[in-house]
Amino acid sequence: MALAPTILVFDSGLGGLTVLREIVATRPDAHYVYVADDAFFPYGRHGEDQIIARVVPLIGELIAAHTPDLVVIACNTASTLVMSHLRAQYLVPFVGTVPAIKPACAQSKTKRVSVLGTRGTVNREYTKALIRDFAQGCEVTLVGSAELAALAEAALSGVEVSDHDLSAELAPCFIAGSEDHAARTDTVVLACTHYPLLMDRLVRLAPWPVGWIDPAPAIARRVADLLPPPNGETDQAGAEMIFTSRRPHALSRALTPFFGGRIPA
Ligand code: DGL
């Protein structure tokens, strides 16, 4: 492995930046390649076979082009489908992002948890199996959002997104239960990496306070576990941002916080 490991972080768009941010904080010494498959965004609207047929060969091309030491699929909509295919075809270690149902159910006091993801993610057999295996007696409500990932992209790009539109996507997560609040939803899993981009607004617009489960810190810990420890060099290696559409983007300034302050090439 080179002195600075190369970590490739992949998503359908800008949502994986919320995962990248945590990984960069854990491994500031690494070289980062962030790939947004915006030519195929949003993944939530594609069928399962289409996503597998798109992502598996594309990751192969990216591995050939960038020789990463580790690949993070920072997308629930893809990870709930493609991880076994990727591991079967490529030797590079992979880390995926799947709905954090186990920790959410472990921390819920009212035993009522909602999972907010793309329609694809909440319909997956993978997600249903996580609920069967890890609900720990909780009632889990699956909420498939058609628009929230696109709204998060728009907001990050500086487009006005109304509270009304965000509240409409959020509302089905909040189940009131009994009047004394003992059975109302107290935990919401952010099962799409785009949603933490809207964190401040989700907290403000929630009908009542809940615990929001963002798996990004856990993913960053997993990445750190899989890489050899830093060799003592504290200098940051470079970073690259690739959009598969090759459309020109004027986002550099908005992106630097996610890259730990560096401006991606
Ligand atoms: N960021 C993606 C996820 O975690 C999906 C957004 C989309 O492309 O629909 O599921």
Side-chain angles (χ1 to χ4, degrees), residues 236-254:
Q236 291 184 344
E240 294 165 63
M241 177 92 193
I242 295 166
F243 292 94
T244 55
S245 68
R246 298 177 198 273
R247 276 194 290 267
H249 284 266
L251 278 168
S252 298
R253 202 172 283 275

Side-chain angles (χ1 to χ4, degrees), residues 6 9 58 63 66 70 73 80 86 98 102 105 133 184 196:
T6 292
V9 179
L58 177 55
I63 290 170
H66 301 281
L70 187 144
I73 306 298
T80 47
L86 294 175
V98 297
K102 189 177 179 183
C105 291
D133 293 345
R184 69 183 187 179

Side-chain angles (χ1 to χ4, degrees), residues 11-12 15-16 41-45 74-78 118 121 149 191-194:
D11 182 34
S12 59
F41 178 85
Y43 279 15
R45 298 218 186 118
C75 175
N76 294 260
T77 313
T118 65
T121 296
C192 170
T193 54
H194 278 72

Side-chain angles (χ1 to χ4, degrees), residues 19-36:
V19 178
L20 175 81
R21 173 172 62 193
E22 297 295 329
I23 301 171
V24 170
T26 311
R27 287 302 299 259
D29 59 306
H31 173 82
Y32 289 93
V33 180
Y34 184 92
V35 181

Side-chain angles (χ1 to χ4, degrees), residues 38 77 139 185 206 226:
D38 62 336
T77 313
E139 192 171 313
T185 306
L226 288 174

